[in-house]
Amino acid sequence: MDFAFGPEDTAFRYEARGWLEDRLTGAFAGAAEAAGATEAVGAVGASGAVGASGAAGAVGAAGRDGRAGRDGQSGQGMRSGQDGQSGWPGQNGQGGQVGHGGGHGGGPGGGHPATPVRLAWERELGAAGWIGLGWDADHGNRRATLTQQVVWAEEYARAHAPARLGHIGEHLLAPTLIAHGDKEQQARHLPGIARGEEFWCQGYSEPGAGSDLASVRTTAVADGHRYRVTGQKIWTSLAREAHWCFVLARTEPGSTRHRGLSFLLVPMDQPGRIDVRPIRQMSGTSEFNEVFFDGAEAAGTVGGEGNGWRVAMGLLALERGVSTLAQQIGFEEELGRVVRAAAAGGALDHDPVLRDRLIRQWAELRTLRWNALRTLGRTGDPGAPSVAKLLWGGWHRRLGELAVQVRGAAAAAGPGPWSPSYELDALQRLFLFSRADTIYGGSDEIQRTIIAERVLGLPREPR
């Protein structure tokens, strides 16, 4: 698409920046600072709407006057933010649950609880109309063009605003209800999401059915006008904070693969029928969860019984776009922190190979941005999401490796005296968490298979 910031986008940027500067004070500013080194800023969607992590030096965001600087940069040269925040890319289009915080804290919300301050921040966003910018004209708060949505995502990242709790509902569930839901479902859920009062999690991946979403085994049995859901979901971000979960389950007994699936809306407050168990990772955090359903009641299907695959694929198509660009702002900030660590340790003076790797990381990040701009708003390209996932997943994992390489042997030591609490600093968490970047959300092997079969037309892989 022809992507450029115009005068209206510049005015929108000033409005967004001014509002954030006015509101990010007191407790809200404290929440943002606490999130800075450890959480994702869920500014938009996931691998579609991907989350976020200011405005942007090396990734080429618009400058303060809204005009792009030389070579698409802001005119500020290669700079980094203060506390590197990362994006929340979400799923890859194959149903692997993500909830990733481009480095350290998981998806929107990360491994941190839904504190009263962060809950209040969601309501603040809703009251000012900053939730639902990408929804159609009949729903949500204020309207915004695609470029203005990019502006908001970038300014939110630039301001280091608190990690979002409403990301999944706003950017995944709400557009899905608008496209496939009935009027009653839209009226029941969209206003609460738009006000920043209703939070959602995603029940897709299962043990043995991560990237291969069509293999889900969770079942749902009709019970009058409702369904009873039984099974297990895994890698579920925000399951402890969410009021609702949208669940892909098998409603046709004996069905296989993508047939017989339904997209169900399940309230999470069902003691004895829903059990949420945090998953502790090698980084020491627990941003993901297992969710066990034992006859849990679902409020109904979206798109009708048996149409879950179509609805689920439509939702996954939403997981790419605007906030991919804001995600890269978070990556740029993390890169800046790695460069500063290299400079502080003297590695830049004595290791030309390391210097070359850092420069390559910077150049590749620029490439990520231009690829995101090239595909922004495009539909019907089956390979674009997989190419994007391969690019950013590999890039971020290599950055994690650089984060420890630049520090040498010191990277193996904790930030303070030995403690059983398993303390790590931000760069160590970046290294450990980014090991998963090429696996979750559809592994690199899955992405290459998609490109081979759907783009290049090669024979399908035997199953």
Side-chain angles (χ1 to χ4, degrees):
M1 66 175 291
D2 181 14
F3 186 94
F5 292 111
E8 292 183 356
D9 302 319
T10 301
F12 190 83
R13 185 179 295 277
Y14 277 127
E15 180 186 1
R17 185 176 297 177
W19 186 88
L20 287 164
E21 289 175 350
D22 289 343
R23 296 305 194 281
L24 285 174
T25 59
F28 290 149
E33 290 170 3
T38 59
E39 293 183 353
V41 177
V44 177
S47 0
V50 267
S53 152
V59 296
R64 292 191 67 89
D65 61 356
R67 295 174 298 179
R70 182 172 58 86
D71 295 328
Q73 298 187 36
S74 65
Q76 300 175 36
M78 181 178 177
R79 70 165 189 85
S80 60
Q82 298 171 359
D83 293 313
Q85 293 175 326
S86 334
W88 186 65
Q91 286 77 353
N92 81 315
Q94 290 304 298
Q97 178 72 21
V98 197
H100 158 60
H104 327 306
H112 297 261
T115 63
V117 171
R118 293 176 64 197
L119 293 170
W121 176 248
E122 291 291 328
R123 294 192 293 271
E124 190 86 4
L125 290 171
W130 293 112
I131 297 177
L133 298 182
W135 301 357
D136 68 27
D138 296 329
H139 303 90
N141 291 322
R142 73 175 76 199
R143 296 296 303 133
T145 65
L146 190 59
T147 52
Q148 288 169 349
Q149 293 171 48
V150 171
V151 165
W152 168 250
E154 290 181 337
E155 289 302 313
Y156 195 96
R158 173 186 175 275
H160 295 279
R164 291 293 310 281
L165 293 172
H167 166 87
I168 296 174
E170 178 185 359
H171 299 295
L172 300 184
L173 189 276
T176 300
L177 288 183
I178 293 170
H180 302 283
D182 57 38
K183 296 296 184 182
E184 182 180 349
Q185 290 168 338
Q186 294 170 1
R188 166 62 183 84
H189 297 293
L190 295 180
I193 296 172
R195 291 193 302 268
E197 296 175 353
E198 182 175 290
F199 305 128
W200 286 76
C201 60
Q202 175 168 309
Y204 273 17
S205 293
E206 301 178 4
S211 295
D212 186 12
L213 183 59
S215 296
V216 298
R217 292 177 292 179
T218 294
T219 61
V221 178
D223 181 12
H225 297 293
R226 308 218 167 202
Y227 293 83
R228 293 290 179 181
V229 181
T230 300
Q232 178 187 359
K233 297 296 181 177
I234 198 168
W235 309 121
T236 307
S237 302
L238 286 177
R240 286 170 285 174
E241 292 81 9
H243 303 107
W244 289 80
C245 181
F246 51 90
V247 176
L248 193 63
R250 202 164 291 283
T251 51
E252 180 183 330
S255 62
T256 59
R257 303 302 298 164
H258 61 274
R259 293 174 291 276
L261 297 171
S262 295
F263 189 101
L264 301 160
L265 306 181
V266 181
M268 293 293 287
D269 186 14
Q270 299 190 53
R273 296 189 182 274
I274 296 181
D275 182 21
V276 178
R277 303 177 189 175
I279 300 172
R280 183 173 173 84
Q281 299 162 203
M282 67 179 180
S283 60
T285 58
S286 303
E287 47 268 1
F288 305 121
N289 305 272
E290 296 177 282
V291 182
F292 296 86
F293 301 94
D294 184 9
E297 186 177 275
T301 67
V302 176
E305 183 176 313
N307 293 319
W309 184 257
R310 177 174 61 89
V311 177
M313 292 302 99
L315 182 144
L316 290 172
L318 298 167
E319 293 186 316
R320 289 169 174 73
V322 170
S323 56
T324 303
L325 296 164
Q327 170 201 23
Q328 293 160 13
I329 295 174
F331 287 171
E332 183 241 352
E333 294 188 349
E334 289 183 328
L335 175 59
R337 296 169 67 189
V338 173
V339 170
R340 290 195 297 274
L348 294 181
D349 297 327
H350 308 296
D351 192 337
V353 174
L354 181 58
R355 286 201 305 270
D356 286 348
R357 287 191 62 189
L358 290 169
I359 292 171
R360 179 177 289 274
Q361 285 292 118
W362 178 84
E364 289 176 351
L365 187 56
R366 295 291 302 279
T367 303
L368 289 179
R369 177 176 175 81
W370 296 122
N371 181 67
L373 291 174
R374 179 181 65 85
T375 59
L376 187 64
R378 181 183 300 179
T379 59
D381 185 344
S386 293
V387 169
K389 174 61 166 58
L390 284 170
L391 289 175
W392 73 252
W395 185 92
H396 200 237
R397 182 166 174 164
R398 292 191 295 275
L399 181 66
E401 293 167 353
L402 279 170
V404 295
Q405 183 180 351
V406 299
R407 298 167 66 186
W418 181 87
S419 168
S421 63
Y422 194 63
E423 294 179 0
L424 299 171
D425 62 30
L427 293 183
Q428 290 168 328
R429 288 192 297 271
L430 169 62
F431 169 71
L432 291 176
F433 201 102
S434 62
R435 306 307 296 168
D437 283 335
T438 55
I439 301 173
Y440 68 73
S443 67
D444 280 7
E445 291 78 8
I446 290 289
Q447 307 306 331
R448 293 188 177 101
T449 297
I450 292 171
I451 294 170
E453 295 179 356
R454 302 183 189 178
V455 179
L456 302 179
L458 297 178
R460 292 183 63 85
E461 186 178 70
R463 297 182 184 277

